Amino acid sequence: MKVGVIIWVEGTSVVFRISEGIRIERGDLLKAVDGDIIYILRVYDFKPETLLTPIEVARLSLNKNLGRNIEIFDKSIRYYDTALAKLIAEIDVNGQVKGPISAPHLFVDVETLTRNELELLNLDRGDIELGYLRMGHKVTNLRISIPGKEVFPHHILITSITGGGKTNLGKVLAWNILNQIEDKYSLIIIDTENEYFDGGDTKHLGLIHSPNSEERLFYVTTKIEKPCKYKYEFTYRGLILRRIIEAYPLRISLNELYPEDLIETGEFTPQQEAFLWILWRRLHGDWLKRLVREKVDVLFSILGKDIPKNTIAATKRKVIYMLGDDVFTAEQHYNTINAIVNAVVKAKVILLEMPFGTEAQEKLLTVIIARRVFKFYEYMRKREPLTWKNMPIALIMVDEAHRYLSKSSLIRRSERRDNIFSTISKRGRKYKVGLCTITQMPGELEETIIRQQLTKIILPLPTRPDYMKVVSYTPYLEDSHEEIKNLDRGEAILVSPPSGIRFAIPLKIYSFEELVRRELERELKNKRRHVRLLNSRLYEGNHI
């Protein structure tokens, strides 16, 4: 269908006149056919064109405001609406999609894309499904997917305001990994809000509701005291369903911790960091237990009175607060960290649930797990490369990423100090370890970090400092400010060069609940068929 005609082209920028009675939205994908080439345009804004004088505008607007009918002489010539668009691709006569290396002529018609033309863009090119192609607010049935093998090692940035759909997208990513047939990926999630396991309330579903959770979900929780097969029952449409998953207690022995684990949370001063290192070198395995239990005077004496008492006292207070009461323990029979690393190697979705943890505990736990997984993968690549080659790609989900990757966290006294997350961002792709950084404040992130997250999924983000930071360090988003500001919940813009997609894609993220309900409907259908079959056999047996 024709929607307009091109009236200006400059570089990859296109302006077209909108046909009378046609409604165009930001994010619409359209085409302009010029000879043998189909040019793909993406609308990003609008601008009225008028030859009316200021006096005419004043007179006409006054009459309209007073409720009078207005007439514009030669209206179709003197006033019309235009859409501003970007050339994002071109399709040649052989159906090959390329970046725009030419431009359509003036007065070429602009039209809607057909289903076949949309499929030529090859937007469903991977094993990680995200949602459907979106045209403005209109959702198509064309699926958008990305290849995890290419995307995960080069990291993902998910950004949105609170309530924009970040958690739903996190669940959708987890659902994809739960549904993998081959052992290609693992995902680590640390959940402090009780949102991922069972949804947190009766209105939402969680990972446990997916039938594939029995095979792929590894649950680490404070609800249990020893490793077990965790049983979970729920009712769906009147039928009781059961899940049995592998579970491990979220209890970490103090003797498994090292000074780097505490230091890389960014909570300690240089003097306190030095104290932690000195204490560890002096006491080794018992260093943290002694720090927590011994009095300041005793520690002062153990270290030969070289460390000031106020430094010891301040560090001790911070450490005790960070360790808390329920996750970290002096007992030595827990081997939680190794259990988590083993689950990563087995291509599981590892869900660590700590609903009553403090922000400090969450930071410490996230640092510990990220360090151990990265160090293990680094070791295996260098020492056992053949085994490493067959290990799944590990993706670590880092919520509230601005806590770890902001300028204030990475740069102190004009000196850059990398932590485990900036290290993975920089080197993780070499070892098959990726980050999925999630934040509602991307404006706080250091610029290098934004560049290194090659795949970006931008959900509603109306605050100027935040969307400007993302746009400034992301290709293909130069003119997307207005669209990003006006996204609705669940709507997103995807930029993913590792996927081979050389333009920004407007999409509607799947609803996690809808995905799981479809699985549950299939499960119910199979169970009812099985019951009918059993009843049929019993009936036949009774009449022999």
Side-chain angles (χ1 to χ4, degrees):
M1 181 178 73
K2 179 179 175 180
V3 296
V5 62
I6 294 174
I7 60 172
W8 187 253
V9 179
E10 185 172 353
T12 57
S13 297
V14 174
V15 182
F16 68 89
R17 176 174 178 158
I18 302 172
S19 299
E20 290 290 331
I22 296 296
R23 181 179 178 83
I24 302 292
E25 296 182 2
R26 291 186 186 91
D28 275 351
L29 295 181
L30 303 168
K31 70 177 179 182
V33 181
D34 193 353
D36 294 332
I37 299 177
I38 301 173
Y39 294 94
I40 308 299
L41 290 72
R42 183 165 175 273
V43 176
Y44 65 85
D45 215 340
F46 306 97
K47 181 183 178 183
E49 292 289 348
T50 177
L51 298 178
L52 299 174
T53 65
I55 293 176
E56 288 177 304
V57 171
R59 177 175 55 81
L60 290 167
S61 60
L62 175 62
N63 287 336
K64 183 68 175 177
N65 198 40
L66 295 174
R68 300 169 184 166
N69 292 329
I70 61 173
E71 293 185 11
I72 302 175
F73 181 70
D74 287 340
K75 179 181 177 181
S76 59
I77 296 175
R78 304 180 70 202
Y79 168 77
Y80 53 90
D81 292 316
T82 67
L84 311 181
K86 277 285 184 182
L87 290 172
I88 60 172
E90 60 182 59
I91 305 173
D92 65 20
V93 68
N94 298 315
Q96 295 295 313
V97 180
K98 306 173 182 177
I101 55 175
S102 59
H105 293 90
L106 295 184
F107 312 122
V108 169
D109 289 341
V110 177
E111 304 170 87
T112 55
L113 285 158
T114 65
R115 171 83 184 190
N116 289 338
E117 289 162 342
L118 285 171
E119 288 177 349
L120 285 175
L121 296 177
N122 193 22
L123 302 179
D124 184 11
R125 59 176 65 202
D127 52 0
I128 304 298
E129 300 177 26
L130 297 177
Y132 294 109
L133 180 68
R134 174 177 54 81
M135 301 284 200
H137 292 305
K138 304 179 294 289
V139 181
T140 72
N141 60 0
L142 190 71
R143 189 171 62 186
I144 306 294
S145 64
I146 55 178
K149 183 179 179 181
E150 307 300 331
V151 169
F152 289 169
H154 291 92
H155 319 300
I156 301 171
L157 172 64
I158 298 173
T159 180
S160 168
I161 57 169
T162 301
K166 298 188 298 295
T167 300
N168 175 69
L169 177 52
K171 288 182 180 179
V172 169
L173 288 174
W175 175 85
N176 274 279
I177 295 174
L178 287 176
N179 279 272
Q180 293 295 315
I181 298 174
E182 300 177 23
D183 295 343
K184 294 191 289 186
Y185 316 116
S186 62
L187 174 66
I188 299 171
I189 304 168
I190 297 178
D191 181 16
T192 60
E193 303 294 337
N194 268 14
E195 294 177 309
Y196 280 86
F197 180 68
D198 61 3
D201 56 46
T202 57
K203 295 180 181 179
H204 296 89
L205 298 175
L207 302 182
I208 189 64
H209 295 106
S210 172
N212 294 301
S213 62
E214 292 193 311
E215 179 70 22
R216 294 244 180 233
L217 185 60
F218 184 73
Y219 186 38
V220 185
T221 176
T222 55
K223 296 175 184 176
I224 58 176
E225 292 296 326
K226 59 182 181 181
C228 66
K229 293 292 186 179
Y230 188 84
K231 297 179 181 178
Y232 181 87
E233 289 187 349
F234 62 99
T235 302
Y236 183 75
R237 293 185 60 179
L239 190 67
I240 296 176
L241 299 176
R242 175 182 291 183
R243 303 283 185 255
I244 301 175
I245 61 171
E246 191 175 356
Y248 207 94
L250 182 52
R251 301 282 282 172
I252 296 178
S253 300
L254 295 183
N255 63 350
E256 292 187 86
L257 271 60
Y258 297 91
E260 298 104 315
D261 297 322
L262 297 165
I263 290 170
E264 292 199 14
T265 63
E267 299 293 328
F268 297 88
T269 66
Q271 294 78 10
Q272 293 166 353
E273 292 173 4
F275 163 60
L276 292 173
W277 275 113
I278 292 170
L279 187 66
W280 177 76
R281 291 192 183 100
R282 186 69 58 90
L283 301 178
H284 297 292
D286 285 339
W287 75 282
L288 198 50
K289 191 188 302 181
R290 297 281 296 275
L291 173 59
V292 171
R293 291 182 176 177
E294 300 287 5
K295 294 182 178 180
V296 171
D297 290 338
V298 174
L299 293 169
F300 182 68
S301 299
I302 289 174
L303 298 178
K305 302 181 180 180
D306 292 330
I307 305 296
K309 286 186 179 182
N310 61 342
T311 299
I312 296 173
T315 308
K316 182 181 173 74
R317 283 195 302 272
K318 285 184 181 180
V319 169
I320 291 173
Y321 174 71
M322 187 171 286
L323 295 176
D325 300 320
D326 54 347
V327 174
F328 300 96
T329 175
E331 299 176 30
Q332 298 186 17
H333 61 274
Y334 292 102
N335 201 12
T336 306
I337 295 176
N338 283 343
I340 291 170
V341 173
N342 288 335
V344 170
V345 175
K346 293 177 182 176
K348 304 275 189 178
V349 173
I350 300 95
L351 175 60
L352 293 89
E353 189 178 69
M354 49 182 303
F356 303 108
T358 64
E359 181 180 319
Q361 280 183 302
E362 181 187 0
K363 289 182 74 172
L364 178 58
L365 183 61
T366 306
V367 167
I368 291 169
I369 301 304
R371 287 192 67 247
R372 298 304 188 278
V373 170
F374 179 72
K375 294 297 182 185
F376 177 75
Y377 268 68
E378 183 181 37
Y379 173 87
M380 293 300 291
R381 182 178 185 266
K382 293 177 179 178
R383 298 297 179 89
E384 298 182 40
L386 294 179
T387 303
W388 170 83
K389 189 175 181 180
N390 294 318
M391 286 163 54
I393 296 170
L395 185 66
I396 304 171
M397 191 175 288
V398 184
D399 205 357
E400 305 291 344
H402 49 275
R403 296 178 187 168
Y404 315 95
L405 295 168
S406 65
K407 280 187 176 181
S408 58
S409 299
L410 297 176
I411 300 176
R412 295 186 185 179
R413 298 179 181 178
S414 301
E415 180 182 347
R416 182 183 174 89
R417 298 185 59 188
D418 284 322
N419 58 29
I420 186 58
F421 304 106
S422 61
T423 299
I424 294 174
S425 186
K426 184 166 50 180
R427 299 171 50 216
R429 61 182 177 80
K430 299 178 182 178
Y431 303 101
K432 299 203 298 188
V433 179
L435 293 179
C436 178
T437 52
I438 303 175
T439 178
Q440 69 266 35
M441 293 191 287
E444 298 290 318
L445 298 180
E446 196 212 12
E447 291 82 357
T448 305
I449 299 300
I450 298 178
R451 290 193 185 102
Q452 290 166 340
Q453 317 300 298
L454 294 191
T455 293
K456 299 179 179 68
I457 305 175
I458 302 131
L459 292 148
L461 194 66
T463 47
R464 182 177 174 81
D466 291 321
Y467 69 70
M468 287 299 295
K469 189 75 165 282
V470 175
V471 168
S472 297
Y473 297 99
T474 305
Y476 319 125
L477 288 181
E478 296 87 353
D479 299 296
S480 299
H481 308 79
E482 292 299 322
E483 185 180 357
I484 292 172
K485 286 193 297 182
N486 291 286
L487 291 171
D488 286 342
R489 176 181 170 83
E491 294 180 348
I493 298 176
L494 168 68
V495 177
S496 184
S499 300
I501 302 171
R502 295 294 183 260
F503 51 88
I505 303 172
L507 77 155
K508 175 71 173 179
I509 303 296
Y510 285 145
S511 163
F512 173 77
E513 275 69 25
E514 290 181 10
L515 293 173
V516 176
R517 284 194 185 100
R518 281 186 217 143
E519 292 181 320
L520 293 173
E521 290 296 331
R522 289 194 294 269
E523 185 176 4
L524 256 60
K525 187 176 180 180
N526 291 335
K527 282 184 178 294
R528 286 168 178 159
R529 185 186 299 120
H530 182 65
V531 169
R532 285 196 299 269
L533 182 61
L534 287 177
N535 289 338
S536 175
R537 289 177 178 173
L538 286 172
Y539 178 80
E540 291 172 0
N542 290 333
H543 287 77
I544 293 175

